[in-house]
Amino acid sequence: MKLSDLDGYIDGPGEFLDRAVSQGLVLELLNHAVWAPNDELREPWRFIFADSQYGNIMQGLQEQAPAYLLVLVKQEADQHKREEDFAAVCCLIQNFRLLAHEQSLGVRCTLHDWMYDPSRTEMFGVLSNERVAAVLELGYSASQPKENTELPETELHFELL
């Protein structure tokens, strides 16, 4: 598979089909995705799921998608723990995206200005000691990647100390 063939799976699909995303599937994927590295097993995440059943609550904030998953991270007072927790949440998001791909579920990971405004996030139930790490737009992709097992060689750059 070529990296260009993964377009839509790395950055997320361009368009979603008009097909519901099962809450049960999202919960199943999350139960596996939470096996993300986190010091002291703090599990600093929380999730809020929204789909068309809840109306158009995300309209004007996000691109149109059959479902949305708000990924929240606790805001620890200790800066070191706060950064560790955010890194763990990023690993969880990547786990979720890989697991979703196996189920042919497309995921667009998005960041928007409104996520940093507590007066706007509280309408979703985000607590004062939390922040939105990302909003995952979920749906089944209108296009599938081409099947090809050939991967291009990549050149890594690093320096030795």
Side-chain angles (χ1 to χ4, degrees):
M1 180 176 288
K2 295 178 183 174
L3 288 178
S4 60
D5 294 335
L6 288 173
D7 189 35
Y9 283 88
I10 292 174
D11 297 327
E15 291 185 36
F16 291 120
L17 297 173
D18 185 20
R19 179 177 164 196
V21 175
S22 159
Q23 292 179 25
L25 173 61
V26 172
L27 185 57
E28 178 185 332
L29 297 176
L30 284 172
N31 277 321
H32 295 288
V34 296
W35 289 95
N38 184 248
D39 191 33
E40 300 175 18
L41 303 176
R42 284 191 299 274
E43 297 187 3
W45 41 72
R46 191 166 71 91
F47 312 97
I48 298 173
F49 179 81
D51 62 9
S52 59
Q53 181 179 359
Y54 300 100
N56 291 328
I57 194 167
M58 301 299 284
Q59 189 170 13
L61 300 175
Q62 298 289 135
E63 294 292 323
Q64 189 66 26
Y68 306 90
L69 185 68
L70 281 74
V71 182
L72 311 179
V73 60
K74 292 178 188 170
Q75 292 293 90
E76 291 279 347
D78 180 287
Q79 177 73 25
H80 181 76
K81 286 183 180 180
R82 190 167 45 245
E83 290 190 20
E84 279 184 344
D85 289 348
F86 186 75
V89 167
C90 290
C91 291
L92 178 144
I93 291 170
Q94 182 62 11
N95 288 350
F96 183 86
R97 292 179 78 178
L98 292 169
L99 292 162
H101 174 70
E102 288 181 352
Q103 299 297 318
S104 300
L105 181 64
V107 179
R108 284 191 301 242
C109 184
T110 64
L111 303 168
H112 294 282
D113 289 342
W114 69 265
M115 296 171 27
Y116 304 101
D117 181 355
S119 66
R120 295 179 80 186
T121 59
E122 69 183 8
M123 73 183 217
F124 297 106
V126 178
L127 305 175
S128 62
N129 69 336
E130 298 174 318
R131 77 175 185 95
V132 180
V135 176
L136 305 183
E137 297 172 348
L138 310 174
Y140 295 94
S141 179
S143 62
Q144 297 295 322
K146 302 171 208 149
E147 288 297 321
N148 188 339
T149 57
E150 183 182 326
L151 284 174
E153 287 188 34
T154 57
E155 187 176 329
L156 298 176
H157 299 279
F158 67 97
E159 296 178 21
L160 297 175
L161 294 178

